């Protein structure tokens, strides 16, 4: 009797486990994605030696006296004019210094007020000599120099007739060079090449300004210069960057509870539930999704090594059960690459500080 009873209990237990596993699989199959915005701290592309704590920003470019601007009017007639650009190099240097001064990486960031270039060849660049860099560092009491060596623009635009206002659409093409140099080095520590086309859309009051010559396009150039400086400063200082991540949800009660924790940034609690679900799931798609969730929770908790392990596990399961061409598989491959990059970036950040 006892032996038979044990056998029945064993069969019941196996049946219950099978039913439970099937329910979990069915619930996990009805999954969806939720996205979360995160901030990641990234190292600068150009790494200064630790001894470099004070920086001098130098305008070593000859400002373009006038930028050729060609505007197409309705009926395809063209106006060509010159736009003043003599303030753009100074605006760039000042904005670059302001943005770099906001970083804790440097003790002091200064803007050199003197003029180094006396020629008028705005299209050419002249690198600072080592003697000049050494002299500037000694005179200004700094450790390194960042120089704007060239900044050139081209402008093209279209004046369209709208229902109420004409809309001026301007494309600004930019070409420039910025270098970081420290004394007694045979070559620049790093070079940033500026090459971009920036679209600018503006609305103007037709009653106030009917002629294209009256549009303040020089202010457009100055704004573009500041915008470029904002982008350029990221090459020289560690910086925060917005990024998007995702996690999977499903209709089960535990899935919903974990999703509620995740939605309120309680990642420890969410991860504990995802781990319980992962341990109970047979290997397959559901485990792949849970491994992806666990990778995200570890990343947000700051353990990038564990995050990478879980991300690789998720990609392996996606590849095995969904196929190499599946969107989830490709997404997880991308996430693995992102985390590998973050691991290397973390090492670079420790060196920079």
């Amino acid at each position: 009797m006892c032996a038979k009873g044990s056998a029945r209990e064993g069969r019941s237990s196996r049946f219950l486990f099978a039913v439970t596993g099937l329910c979990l699989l069915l619930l996990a199959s009805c999954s969806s994605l939720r996205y979360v915005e995160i901030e990641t701290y990234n190292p600068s592309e150009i790494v200064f030696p630790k001894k470099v704590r004070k920086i001098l920003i130098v305008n070593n470019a000859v400002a373009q006296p006038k930028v050729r601007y060609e505007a197409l009017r309705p009926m395809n007639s063209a106006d060509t004019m010159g736009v003043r650009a003599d303030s753009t190099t100074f605006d760039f240097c000042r904005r670059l210094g302001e943005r770099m001064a906001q970083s804790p990486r440097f003790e002091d960031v200064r803007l050199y007020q003197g003029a180094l270039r006396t020629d008028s060849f705005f299209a050419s660049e002249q690198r600072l000599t080592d003697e000049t860099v050494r002299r500037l560092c000694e005179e200004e009491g700094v450790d390194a120099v960042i120089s704007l060596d060239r900044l050139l623009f081209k402008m093209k635009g279209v004046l369209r007739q709208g229902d109420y206002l004409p809309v001026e659409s301007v494309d600004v093409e930019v070409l420039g060079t910025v270098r970081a140099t420290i004394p007694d080095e045979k070559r620049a520590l790093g070079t940033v090449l500026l090459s971009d086309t920036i679209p600018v859309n503006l609305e103007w009051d037709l009653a106030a300004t009917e002629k294209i010559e009256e549009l303040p396009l020089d202010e457009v150039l100055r704004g573009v210069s500041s915008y470029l400086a904002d982008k350029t400063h990221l090459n020289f200082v560690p910086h925060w960057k917005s990024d998007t991540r995702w996690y999977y949800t499903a209709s089960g009660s535990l899935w919903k509870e974990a999703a509620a924790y995740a939605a309120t940034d309680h990642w420890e609690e969410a991860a504990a539930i995802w781990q319980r679900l992962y341990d109970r799931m047979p290997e397959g798609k559901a485990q792949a999704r849970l491994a992806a969730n666990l990778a995200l929770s570890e990343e947000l908790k700051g353990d990038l090594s564990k995050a990478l392990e879980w991300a690789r596990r998720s990609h392996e399961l996606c590849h095995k059960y969904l196929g190499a061409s599946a969107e989830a598989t490709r997404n997880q491959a991308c996430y693995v690459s992102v985390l590998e990059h973050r691991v290397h970036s973390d090492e670079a950040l420790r060196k920079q500080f």
Side-chain angles (χ1 to χ4, degrees):
M1 291 289 293
C2 290
K4 290 180 181 178
S6 297
R8 284 197 298 272
E9 288 176 6
R11 286 196 295 273
S12 298
S13 298
R14 287 195 294 272
F15 175 74
L16 179 61
F17 178 80
V19 171
T20 302
L22 178 61
C23 290
L24 288 172
L25 284 173
L26 289 173
L27 291 173
S29 65
C30 303
S31 64
S32 61
L33 284 175
R34 290 188 184 176
Y35 294 93
V36 56
E37 295 293 323
I38 71 169
E39 295 284 325
T40 61
Y41 201 46
N42 299 270
S44 60
E45 295 295 328
I46 296 173
V47 181
F48 290 91
K50 287 185 177 180
K51 65 179 181 180
V52 174
R53 301 296 297 164
K54 298 179 180 181
I55 298 288
L56 182 67
I57 308 295
V58 173
N59 180 10
N60 187 46
V62 176
Q64 198 171 350
K66 281 193 176 181
V67 175
R68 180 182 174 85
Y69 174 69
E70 184 175 291
L72 292 178
R73 291 181 175 276
M75 308 302 292
N76 293 324
S77 61
D79 286 351
T80 301
M81 58 178 288
V83 181
R84 292 184 57 189
D86 50 356
S87 298
T88 54
T89 55
F90 178 77
D91 290 338
F92 180 95
C93 292
R94 179 175 58 186
R95 183 63 174 173
L96 179 61
E98 290 172 350
R99 293 307 307 272
M100 290 187 61
Q102 296 171 5
S103 170
R105 170 62 180 83
F106 302 109
E107 292 178 4
D108 191 15
V109 179
R110 304 175 185 178
L111 178 61
Y112 185 68
Q113 299 295 333
L116 295 177
R117 293 279 296 272
T118 57
D119 62 274
S120 58
F121 302 108
F122 62 88
S124 66
E125 60 179 76
Q126 296 179 12
R127 294 181 53 177
L128 298 177
T129 64
D130 183 60
E131 180 182 349
T132 301
V133 172
R134 192 184 309 109
R135 175 178 61 81
L136 289 171
C137 289
E138 291 175 356
E139 291 178 355
E140 301 294 328
V142 297
D143 306 310
V145 171
I146 294 177
S147 61
L148 173 64
D149 293 337
R150 181 171 59 170
L151 188 61
L152 302 176
F153 300 95
K154 289 182 181 179
M155 300 179 73
K156 291 183 179 180
V158 177
L159 189 63
R160 302 191 304 269
Q161 293 293 338
D163 294 335
Y164 302 100
L165 300 174
V167 178
E168 180 68 22
S169 175
V170 182
D171 287 339
V172 183
E173 297 180 30
V174 184
L175 180 66
T177 310
V178 182
R179 289 187 175 90
T181 312
I182 57 178
D184 303 319
E185 289 290 326
K186 294 183 179 179
R187 60 180 182 177
L189 188 65
T191 301
V192 180
L193 299 178
L194 309 177
S195 180
D196 203 352
T197 299
I198 302 167
V200 182
N201 294 319
L202 304 170
E203 292 186 351
W204 305 97
D205 185 349
L206 181 60
T209 178
E210 294 188 2
K211 295 182 179 180
I212 195 169
E213 288 80 4
E214 294 175 2
L215 300 178
L217 294 176
D218 55 332
E219 292 300 319
V220 173
L221 284 180
R222 298 187 69 176
V224 168
S225 296
S226 296
Y227 168 77
L228 286 169
D230 285 342
K231 291 180 62 177
T232 303
H233 100 282
L234 301 179
N235 292 275
F236 299 109
V237 298
H239 52 277
W240 290 97
K241 177 184 175 183
S242 297
D243 213 336
T244 302
R245 299 287 189 267
W246 63 89
Y247 59 92
Y248 291 92
T249 65
S251 55
S253 59
L254 286 177
W255 282 90
K256 289 181 178 178
E257 185 179 355
Y261 279 126
T264 54
D265 292 330
H266 290 82
W267 297 102
E268 290 276 2
E269 292 83 352
I273 296 173
W274 287 330
Q275 184 69 64
R276 284 166 55 193
L277 287 169
Y278 179 88
D279 293 339
R280 291 163 58 181
M281 288 283 182
E283 183 179 282
K285 300 176 185 178
Q287 266 201 349
R289 297 180 181 119
L290 288 163
N293 290 2
L294 288 165
L296 172 62
S297 65
E298 292 296 343
E299 182 187 12
L300 293 177
K301 289 187 290 182
D303 195 331
L304 297 181
S305 296
K306 284 187 179 179
L308 183 55
E309 289 178 14
W310 278 114
R312 285 172 174 164
R313 175 59 176 161
S314 177
H315 178 252
E316 174 188 327
L317 291 169
C318 285
H319 192 279
K320 185 175 181 180
Y321 292 98
L322 296 174
S325 61
E327 183 179 2
T329 306
R330 290 184 280 110
N331 286 343
Q332 284 307 120
C334 179
Y335 188 34
V336 168
S337 297
V338 167
L339 286 174
E340 288 174 342
H341 178 73
R342 283 208 66 192
V343 169
H344 293 306
S345 295
D346 226 35
E347 296 173 358
L349 275 171
R350 285 193 290 270
K351 292 179 181 178
Q352 289 185 20
F353 283 95

